[in-house]
């Protein structure tokens, strides 16, 4: 969402080459029974005609000529949809532009994430490994909401120094001191078997080749929904 907001602000500034006013707004907004919030980015710049508005979220569509990639707004739309939200615009030539993003609350997302076997995850001990504090804390909070017991760390060295036994490791692939995949054979023994189950997180699908097919390993591609991560944990535990 930080990246989405940054792209929207940059577009708004580009639409006001002679200066202007940029307004950011955030307010709670429910849709029916679903709680949520609305984020708005408003400028008083050159605005857009209807044909541009209709195509602004298309990949590689740009009005900036060679200076534009046409990927900024497409990425914004993808990020919002992955968070379960919606995005809309209101604009006219000479009248500025307002972009409105609606997102469900974390409680709504939690209530809507249906898992076939929640009892399997209750009390599961998880080691969360990610050097990015924001990702590490977010993943930890999601797992804790579903009853898992979480220990967050930021490096492979911290994993190797663990004395506690865990049921599963949720690990980023690119760690500051090693590849997360190198921990498969180096991590302490698990509490459930001689092979500690791993769920790896990565934005790059190419990491799969570092591991190959292993029954105690699963992958989730960033960015991912909480339900995808929980199902990956469930799958390695069942194997």
């Amino acid at each position: 969402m930080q990246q989405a907001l940054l792209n929207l602000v940059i577009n708004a500034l580009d639409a006001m080459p002679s200066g202007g006013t940029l307004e950011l707004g955030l307010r709670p907004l429910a849709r029916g029974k679903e709680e949520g919030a609305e984020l708005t980015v408003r400028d008083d710049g050159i605005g857009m005609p209807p044909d541009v508005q209709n195509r602004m979220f298309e990949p590689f569509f740009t009005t900036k000529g060679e200076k534009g990639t046409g990927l900024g707004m497409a990425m914004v739309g993808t990020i919002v949809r992955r968070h379960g939200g919606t995005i809309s615009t209101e604009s006219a030539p000479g009248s500025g532009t307002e972009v409105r993003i609606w997102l469900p609350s974390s409680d709504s997302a939690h209530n809507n994430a249906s898992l076939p076997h929640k009892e399997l995850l209750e009390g599961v001990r998880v080691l969360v490994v990610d050097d990015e504090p924001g990702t590490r804390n977010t993943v930890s909070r999601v797992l804790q909401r579903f009853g898992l017991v979480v220990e967050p760390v930021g490096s492979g060295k911290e994993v190797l120094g663990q004395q506690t036994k865990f049921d599963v490791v949720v690990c980023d692939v690119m760690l500051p001191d090693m590849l997360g995949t190198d921990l498969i054979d180096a991590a302490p023994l698990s509490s459930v078997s001689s092979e500690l189950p791993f769920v790896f997180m990565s934005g790059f699908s190419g990491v799969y080749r570092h591991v190959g097919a292993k029954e105690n390993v699963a992958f989730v591609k960033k960015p991912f929904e909480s339900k995808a991560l929980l199902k990956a944990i469930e799958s390695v535990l069942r194997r």
Side-chain angles (χ1 to χ4, degrees), residues 156-176:
K157 183 179 179 180
E158 290 179 85
V159 176
L160 299 177
Q162 286 289 323
Q163 300 299 316
T164 306
K165 298 295 185 182
F166 293 93
D167 300 319
V168 64
V169 177
V170 174
C171 185
D172 189 26
V173 172
M174 303 302 294
L175 298 175

Side-chain angles (χ1 to χ4, degrees), residues 13 35 45 48 57 88 101 118 122 127 136 172 187 215 220 222 226:
L13 296 178
E35 298 295 327
M48 297 181 290
F57 297 109
S88 62
I101 294 173
K118 290 183 181 180
E122 189 73 33
L127 184 64
R136 186 169 68 242
D172 189 26
E215 288 191 352
V220 287
K222 293 180 178 179
S226 59

Side-chain angles (χ1 to χ4, degrees), residues 16 18 36 40 45 60-61 67 71 77 95 114 162 184 192-193 198:
M16 298 184 292
S18 301
T40 57
F60 307 111
F61 174 75
K67 294 183 179 180
L71 294 175
S95 299
S114 58
Q162 286 289 323
I184 293 177
V192 294
S193 71
F198 276 80

Side-chain angles (χ1 to χ4, degrees), residues 96-239:
T97 299
E98 180 177 275
V99 179
R100 293 184 293 272
I101 294 173
W102 183 86
L103 297 168
S105 71
S106 57
D107 289 338
S108 295
H110 166 58
N111 292 334
N112 290 335
S114 58
L115 290 170
H117 304 287
K118 290 183 181 180
E119 68 279 0
L120 180 68
L121 301 177
E122 189 73 33
V124 165
R125 287 164 290 184
V126 184
L127 184 64
V128 173
V129 191
D130 198 301
D131 61 308
E132 170 56 46
T135 302
R136 186 169 68 242
N137 294 335
T138 300
V139 169
S140 297
R141 286 198 301 269
V142 167
L143 298 181
Q144 287 167 343
R145 285 197 198 108
F146 282 86
L148 293 87
V149 180
V150 179
E151 174 71 24
V153 298
S155 68
K157 183 179 179 180
E158 290 179 85
V159 176
L160 299 177
Q162 286 289 323
Q163 300 299 316
T164 306
K165 298 295 185 182
F166 293 93
D167 300 319
V168 64
V169 177
V170 174
C171 185
D172 189 26
V173 172
M174 303 302 294
L175 298 175
D177 51 354
M178 65 177 68
L179 285 175
T181 50
D182 291 338
L183 291 169
I184 293 177
D185 298 320
L189 295 181
S190 76
S191 62
V192 294
S193 71
S194 60
E195 292 188 339
L196 182 60
F198 276 80
V199 174
F200 287 106
M201 308 176 289
S202 177
F204 304 96
S205 56
V207 301
Y208 291 75
R209 68 178 182 271
H210 290 293
V211 178
K214 288 182 177 287
E215 288 191 352
N216 64 323
V217 174
F219 289 88
V220 287
K221 191 172 187 302
K222 293 180 178 179
F224 51 82
E225 296 179 352
S226 59
K227 184 158 56 173
L229 176 60
L230 290 158
K231 286 189 173 181
I233 293 173
E234 180 184 323
S235 71
V236 293
L237 290 176
R238 286 193 173 280
R239 292 174 203 165

Side-chain angles (χ1 to χ4, degrees), residues 4-17 22 41 43 45-46 48 56-57 63-64 71-74 76 97 99:
L5 182 59
L6 178 62
N7 282 350
L8 291 173
V9 168
I10 290 173
N11 275 4
L13 296 178
D14 287 344
M16 298 184 292
L22 171 66
V41 178
D43 66 69
I46 58 177
M48 297 181 290
M56 64 183 296
F57 297 109
T63 59
K64 299 178 183 179
L71 294 175
M73 290 306 295
V76 171
T97 299
V99 179

